[in-house]
């Protein structure tokens, strides 16, 4: 394939990277007064990158000598990433502008959308990576941006602390990942996923994986597990979610999770497919441990962002049940789960953005939601639907997400895993219902500041989709799309 043809397959990343450089120049010369314009220009660039997926970039094959793959699986993951990134950009300006400690513009900075675009470039490389080197470059580009985003509010101690914690722990995870990559390269003599799969298949047929390859597999999966916050690599999540600015937290809980999960799926299915019996044990442990720790950890939380952090750990556990199946249906279920998860999670964080006291300062305690149904009925109803959906209450969309992963696990013969997951979902329902109970049955807390009527209307519309007939038409359509995406890996 020619160099020009390879560039055509990477058009979404080219649009985002080139656009980020142009916006950086605008920010450098126009200063922070251009911040709002740069935000919306960044959203337009993300939309353009999404449209580029309709061409060769959505199903064009391998590029750059097998380092990068444009296929329906990567295209679907990128679409979810771009949607999450665009929503995260749209929710940011008002939040940062309200913090007057940063000057007349508040904490609103023109470099924020540039960082989001660069992060999207890294995540695009992650989901299209079919080589360990491309995998690492994409992952580290996303990581470097994440450190800055977590500590973006320079005058806020919690934000600075979040950035430092994320940097230290992520550096450790990167070291673990690199060690796994070096071992796999050493014992398979290649960094390409196809070559690794062939070498692993030869070892399995010869009597089993070699010790070096098995250890490399474990370290590689451990490094990626950090990015999806699967137990036991979850320890960073509550503190980073709580300390980061709320728009950044919403971004962390959505786009990078989709990218890391898609990368996890591609590595296990494409590179390590012949060793399914080896990595399936790791996935099953991570799934069950994440479900249980996420459920029990969330119960005692008083901060809504920390509660949603444990919720994300819990939901990643359910998604991993689909991956443990190791089948085409299981991969499709994972991607369907992630699509529904990011919609409900972003909706939840948009509600958190509306939690402000009479002076406009952010409030993050669950207790402040008390009696919300009396003062902000639409907001309370939307949040209740998001909570019910994340809990998997039928017939909301979240129920169908869980049903798909359980069905895939049962079809693969993993019915004990599905049974434990179903039982554990009852535990996780407790803290979601606690939020609903607080909003509808507790004595009213002080009223929130006046609402952003446009944002609140959008939240109500999104929540209504989860319970309307439109939502149920979306589930079969989503299943068709994810089945096509999963087929690209098998």
């Amino acid at each position: 394939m020619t160099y020009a043809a390879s560039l055509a397959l990477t058009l979404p990343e080219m649009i985002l990277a080139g656009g980020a450089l142009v916006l950086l120049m605008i920010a450098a010369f126009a200063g922070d007064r251009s911040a709002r314009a740069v935000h919306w220009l960044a959203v337009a660039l993300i939309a353009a990158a999404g449209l580029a997926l309709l061409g060769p970039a959505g199903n064009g094959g391998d590029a750059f000598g097998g380092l990068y793959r444009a296929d329906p699986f990567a295209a679907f993951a990128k679409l979810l990433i771009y949607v999450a990134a665009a929503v995260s950009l749209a929710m940011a300006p008002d939040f940062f502008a309200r913090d007057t400690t940063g000057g007349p513009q508040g904490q609103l900075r023109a470099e924020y959308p540039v960082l989001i675009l660069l992060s999207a470039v890294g995540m695009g490389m992650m989901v299209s990576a079919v080589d360990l080197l491309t995998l690492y470059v994409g992952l580290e580009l996303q990581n470097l941006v994440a450190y800055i985003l977590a500590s973006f509010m320079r005058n806020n101690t919690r934000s600075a602390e979040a950035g430092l914690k994320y940097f230290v722990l992520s550096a450790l995870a990167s070291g673990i990942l690199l060690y796994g990559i070096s071992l796999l390269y050493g014992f398979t003599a290649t960094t390409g996923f196809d070559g690794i799969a062939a070498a692993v298949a030869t070892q399995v047929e010869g009597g089993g994986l070699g010790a070096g390859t098995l250890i490399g597999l474990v370290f590689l999966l451990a490094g990626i597990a950090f990015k999806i916050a699967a137990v036991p690599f979850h320890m960073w999540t509550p503190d980073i979610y709580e300390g980061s600015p709320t728009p950044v937290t919403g971004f962390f809980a959505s786009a990078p999770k989709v990218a890391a999960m898609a990368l996890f799926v591609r590595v296990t299915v494409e590179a390590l497919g012949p060793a399914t019996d080896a990595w399936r044990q790791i996935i099953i442990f991570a799934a069950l441990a994440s479900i249980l720790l996420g459920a029990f950890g969330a119960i005692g939380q008083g901060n809504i962002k920390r509660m949603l952090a444990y919720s994300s750990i819990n939901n990643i556990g359910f998604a991993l049940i689909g991956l443990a199946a190791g089948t085409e249906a299981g991969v499709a279920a994972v991607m369907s789960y992630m699509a529904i998860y990011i919609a409900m999670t972003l909706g939840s964080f948009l509600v958190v953005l509306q939690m402000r006291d009479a002076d406009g300062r952010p409030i993050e305690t669950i207790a402040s939601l008390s009696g919300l149904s009396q003062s902000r009925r639409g907001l309370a109803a939307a949040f209740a639907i998001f909570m019910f959906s994340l809990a998997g209450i039928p017939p909301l969309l979240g129920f169908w997400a869980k049903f798909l992963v359980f069905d895939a696990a049962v079809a693969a013969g993993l019915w004990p895993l599905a049974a434990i997951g179903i039982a554990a979902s009852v535990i996780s329902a407790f803290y979601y219902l606690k939020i609903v109970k607080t909003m509808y049955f507790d004595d009213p807390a002080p009223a929130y500041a006046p609402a952003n009527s446009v944002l609140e209307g959008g939240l109500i519309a999104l929540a209504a989709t989860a319970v309307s007939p439109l939502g149920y038409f979306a589930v079969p359509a989503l299943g068709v799309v994810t089945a096509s995406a999963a087929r690209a890996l098998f």
Side-chain angles (χ1 to χ4, degrees):
M1 179 176 288
T2 64
Y3 185 73
S6 292
L7 288 179
L9 297 185
T10 60
L11 184 57
E13 285 74 33
M14 299 291 290
I15 291 172
L16 294 175
L21 294 178
V22 171
L23 294 184
L24 184 61
M25 291 297 100
I26 293 174
F29 286 100
D32 289 333
R33 64 180 180 274
S34 66
R36 288 186 182 273
V38 171
H39 268 82
W40 294 110
L41 287 172
V43 172
L45 286 168
I46 291 174
L51 290 174
L53 294 172
L54 298 176
N59 191 20
D62 289 356
F64 301 112
L67 294 174
Y68 178 102
R69 181 168 296 161
D71 59 12
F73 177 80
F76 180 75
K78 288 178 188 178
L79 182 61
L80 296 182
I81 290 167
Y82 295 162
V83 169
V87 173
S88 300
L89 279 172
M91 71 168 70
D94 287 344
F95 175 87
F96 288 120
R98 281 197 299 266
D99 190 336
T100 56
T101 59
Q105 288 283 127
Q107 293 281 1
L108 184 60
R109 298 287 182 266
E111 59 265 29
Y112 178 82
V114 176
L115 293 170
I116 295 290
L117 291 181
L118 293 176
S119 180
V121 173
M123 289 184 282
M125 292 182 65
M126 286 168 62
V127 301
S128 288
V130 284
D131 188 280
L132 295 177
L133 297 179
T134 316
L135 177 160
Y136 184 71
V137 170
L139 189 64
E140 283 306 298
L141 176 56
Q142 193 275 323
N143 274 344
L144 289 171
V145 174
Y147 306 149
I148 303 171
L149 288 174
S151 56
F152 193 76
M153 298 181 72
R154 292 169 293 183
N155 298 332
N156 188 298
T157 304
R158 291 197 312 166
S159 182
E161 181 183 353
L164 182 59
K165 285 181 178 179
Y166 195 27
F167 171 73
V168 172
L169 293 173
S170 187
L172 174 62
S174 294
I176 293 172
L177 178 74
L178 279 174
Y179 186 56
I181 288 174
S182 66
L183 284 175
L184 280 177
Y185 173 67
F187 287 93
T188 62
T190 181
T191 56
F193 287 5
D194 293 341
I196 292 173
V200 168
T202 301
Q203 292 183 24
V204 171
E205 292 170 1
L209 283 179
T213 305
L214 182 61
I215 295 173
L217 179 155
V218 171
F219 276 87
L220 176 66
L221 296 187
I224 302 175
F226 176 89
K227 292 306 299 178
I228 60 173
V231 174
F233 304 100
H234 65 286
M235 70 293 291
W236 60 276
T237 314
D239 288 345
I240 305 308
Y241 277 34
E242 181 183 10
S244 300
T246 301
V248 174
T249 306
F251 179 69
F252 285 168
S254 53
K257 288 290 179 71
V258 173
M261 182 59 76
L263 175 62
F264 212 162
V265 169
R266 194 183 283 279
V267 167
T268 52
V269 172
E270 286 197 337
L272 304 173
T276 298
D277 290 339
W279 58 255
R280 177 178 282 154
Q281 302 173 52
I282 300 172
I283 300 300
I284 289 174
F285 168 78
L288 293 179
S290 298
I291 291 171
L292 293 173
L293 187 141
F296 285 111
I299 290 175
Q301 300 302 318
N303 182 286
I304 188 67
K305 289 166 69 175
R306 290 185 70 90
M307 190 279 285
L308 289 172
Y310 281 104
S311 167
S312 74
I313 296 170
N314 177 262
N315 278 281
I316 285 298
F318 285 113
L320 288 175
I321 290 178
L323 179 57
T327 61
E328 186 177 313
V331 171
V334 171
M335 299 311 291
S336 295
Y337 195 102
M338 297 307 295
I340 295 172
Y341 161 77
I342 66 166
M344 299 301 105
T345 298
L346 284 172
S348 299
F349 276 102
L350 285 168
V351 172
V352 174
L353 279 176
Q354 296 292 293
M355 296 171 59
R356 295 180 288 116
D357 63 17
D359 297 324
R361 291 172 299 194
I363 301 175
E364 298 175 0
T365 61
I366 293 175
S368 70
L369 291 166
S370 299
L372 186 65
S373 61
Q374 299 180 34
S375 58
R376 302 276 287 278
R377 294 181 179 178
L379 190 65
F383 203 16
I385 291 172
F386 295 142
M387 294 294 99
F388 281 134
S389 188
L390 286 171
I393 304 296
L396 300 179
L397 291 180
F399 165 76
W400 296 108
K402 287 184 169 62
F403 174 81
L404 290 173
V405 294
F406 292 148
D407 183 58
V410 171
L414 302 177
W415 62 265
L417 175 62
I420 296 173
I422 292 170
S425 64
V426 177
I427 303 171
S428 61
F430 173 82
Y431 57 85
Y432 292 121
L433 296 178
K434 176 184 175 182
I435 299 293
V436 178
K437 173 257 182 187
T438 300
M439 292 190 298
Y440 280 87
F441 298 105
D442 285 6
D443 294 332
Y448 289 159
N452 181 327
S453 57
V454 175
L455 177 56
E456 188 163 343
L459 281 170
I460 295 170
L462 176 60
T465 302
V467 295
S468 69
L470 177 63
Y472 304 122
F473 285 120
V475 172
L478 181 61
V480 171
V481 174
T482 54
S484 175
R487 201 172 300 123
L489 302 184
F490 289 87

